Amino acid sequence: MSDSRTPEEGSAGSDDGPQRPPRYEQVIRWAEYIKMQPPEVWGPQQNAVVNGQIESAQAVDVSVEEKQVIREFADEVLEAEGEDGETEAGPSEQ
């Protein structure tokens, strides 16, 4: 199953170019890093990333109607994926 929010590997918008490693490699590196560092070191770093993402999302000017369309689309995608047996939405995904 692919993450519908990210381009497919090898597509024009994918991150598999030589200048940027695939995302799974970045995830593996982060997991290894947090295993070796105490939470006092990586915690503030992770908070900075998450806070930056929240600030970016809040800066997007989207109307209530547009938010509803986006939510309905996301719900349809999650429902379709669940019907295919590929994934089931957990509490954090709804």
Side-chain angles (χ1 to χ4, degrees):
M1 178 186 88
S2 69
D3 183 348
S4 61
R5 295 168 293 181
T6 59
E8 291 294 322
E9 185 176 334
S11 69
S14 70
D15 293 333
D16 58 355
Q19 73 279 6
R20 187 169 179 186
R23 288 194 173 132
Y24 67 86
E25 289 180 18
Q26 294 170 347
V27 171
I28 291 169
R29 285 181 52 212
W30 178 251
E32 290 171 351
Y33 177 75
I34 66 171
K35 286 179 185 178
M36 296 173 59
Q37 301 295 325
E40 296 80 21
V41 172
W42 61 262
Q45 296 168 340
Q46 183 173 345
N47 288 342
V49 171
V50 171
N51 289 341
Q53 293 295 312
I54 291 171
E55 290 170 10
S56 293
Q58 290 172 338
V60 175
D61 189 22
V62 179
S63 70
V64 173
E65 294 81 15
E66 290 170 317
K67 286 180 184 179
Q68 182 61 34
V69 169
I70 293 168
R71 170 53 54 201
E72 289 172 0
F73 173 76
D75 290 343
E76 289 173 12
V77 169
L78 289 172
E79 183 178 317
E81 287 178 350
E83 289 173 2
D84 293 342
E86 292 180 344
T87 184
E88 290 188 25
S92 64
E93 295 177 4
Q94 294 182 358

